[in-house]
């Protein structure tokens, strides 16, 4: 693939493996940078490549430790701006803090907006992200945002499995639109679970609209954090007579009791993407399949660099 020396990709420590896979797809080397710490823990980043007048991309998932990775991204952006990069794109496969995107009670922050402001102020000219929890988070940025979705790779995987008698289940109302796009791609029927969130770590699936009895289920979500949502929904559809249950989610956070819950839930397969590296614990449990978004991200970066359409990516596949 022909890409000129103008394109530079750097990686934070949030997901270096994915950044390397993106560079492999693009057939370019990963940009060199040295990351050190002062004695008090402050980070200093020195970019080793000449970036003056170049089109630079920083790949950083702001996954755990979230604050650490976020600050590292901000320092990278500042560093590239001061080194006279021509254009800087923050590539954020997993955007931490996105779920606090509105004030649903008094005296709480809107962290998604705060982080959008920080990324812009630090020097990003554009953002490339995957499944930002709510599509309207794009509007929190006053710079262009290219918003990709893990549903491209996940739905292709489920389509190849040729699951018969299929119903796509949305585990809550918020995911309805995504579930209906899955149904369009996979050709199944649609059902939706009414979920009540009891606390940050507990969700109760209360009712299902749609038919799941005797059906094979693909349940899709943007994120599995504590797995409360997905496990409670899986139990409910199983109780209502579902056959096999497959779970597809873009971001595998797997926090708190997630792995224990998943082990106990009536789930036949869990599939996530590599926007977040799996923790050792999640790897050890051996039941989680990971699909890569590297070629989708690489293709988007190539198109942004060449000023070509990124939205075409959604129809090309
Ligand atoms: C909710 O709006 C999201 O789409 C996810 O369903 C939710 O964030 C998953 O969180 P948990 O796994 O902790 O239930």
């Amino acid at each position: 693939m022909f890409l000129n020396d103008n394109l530079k990709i750097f990686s934070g420590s949030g997901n270096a493996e994915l950044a390397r896979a993106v560079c492999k797809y693009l057939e370019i080397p990963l940009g060199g940078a040295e990351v050190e710490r002062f004695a008090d823990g402050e980070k200093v980043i020195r970019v080793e490549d000449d970036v003056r007048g170049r089109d630079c991309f920083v790949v950083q998932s702001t996954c755990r430790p979230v604050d650490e990775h976020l600050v590292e991204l901000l320092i990278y952006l500042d560093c590239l701006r001061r080194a006279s990069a021509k254009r800087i794109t923050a590539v954020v496969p997993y955007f931490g803090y996105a779920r606090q995107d509105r004030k649903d009670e008094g005296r709480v922050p809107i962290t998604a907006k705060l982080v959008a402001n920080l990324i812009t102020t630090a020097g990003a000219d554009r953002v490339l992200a995957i499944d930002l929890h709510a599509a309207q988070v794009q509007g929190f940025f006053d710079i262009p945002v290219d918003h990709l979705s893990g549903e491209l790779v996940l739905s292709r995987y489920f389509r190849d499995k040729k699951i018969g008698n299929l119903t796509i289940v949305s585990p809550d109302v918020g995911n309805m639109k995504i579930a209906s796009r899955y149904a369009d791609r996979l050709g199944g029927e649609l059902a939706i679970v009414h979920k009540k969130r009891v606390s940050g770590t507990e969700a109760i699936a209360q009712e299902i609209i749609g038919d799941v009895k005797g059906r094979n289920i693909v349940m899709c979500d943007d994120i599995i954090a504590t797995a409360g949502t997905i496990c409670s929904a899986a139990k409910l559809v199983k109780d209502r007579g579902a056959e096999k249950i497959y779970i597809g989610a873009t971001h595998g956070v797997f926090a708190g009791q997630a792995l224990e819950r998943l082990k106990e839930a009536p789930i036949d397969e869990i599939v996530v993407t590599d926007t977040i590296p799996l923790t050792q614990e999640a790897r050890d449990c051996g039941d989680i399949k990971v699909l890569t978004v590297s070629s989708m991200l690489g293709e988007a970066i190539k198109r942004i660099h060449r000023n070509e359409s990124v939205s075409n990516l959604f129809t090309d596949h």
Side-chain angles (χ1 to χ4, degrees), residues 99 133 172 175 195 197 200 221-229:
R99 282 183 290 171
H133 184 60
D172 58 24
N175 265 287
K195 163 181 106 173
R197 185 161 278 292
D221 209 340
D222 59 325
I223 175 169
I224 300 177
T226 65
T229 301

Side-chain angles (χ1 to χ4, degrees), residues 144-204:
V145 177
D146 287 300
H147 189 213
L148 305 177
S149 176
E151 103 199 20
L152 286 177
V153 285
L154 289 163
S155 59
R156 204 178 312 143
Y157 174 79
F158 289 120
R159 196 173 51 212
D160 290 349
K161 282 179 98 74
K162 300 195 188 339
I163 305 166
N165 234 3
L166 177 65
T167 295
I168 310 294
V169 173
S170 173
D172 58 24
V173 180
N175 265 287
M176 192 55 200
K177 272 193 185 157
I178 297 178
S180 111
R181 287 202 300 268
Y182 268 83
D184 288 346
R185 287 177 193 276
L186 300 178
E189 289 179 15
L190 202 53
I192 176 168
V193 170
H194 171 55
K195 163 181 106 173
K196 186 175 176 197
R197 185 161 278 292
V198 184
S199 69
T201 58
E202 209 171 330
I204 300 174

Side-chain angles (χ1 to χ4, degrees), residues 163-168 187-190 211-218 237-238 240-245:
I163 305 166
N165 234 3
L166 177 65
T167 295
I168 310 294
E189 289 179 15
L190 202 53
D211 194 14
V212 294
K213 193 167 174 12
R215 314 277 305 168
N216 294 313
I217 306 297
V218 168
V237 294
K238 196 70 180 176
R240 300 287 169 89
E243 296 288 326
K244 297 242 180 227
I245 301 177

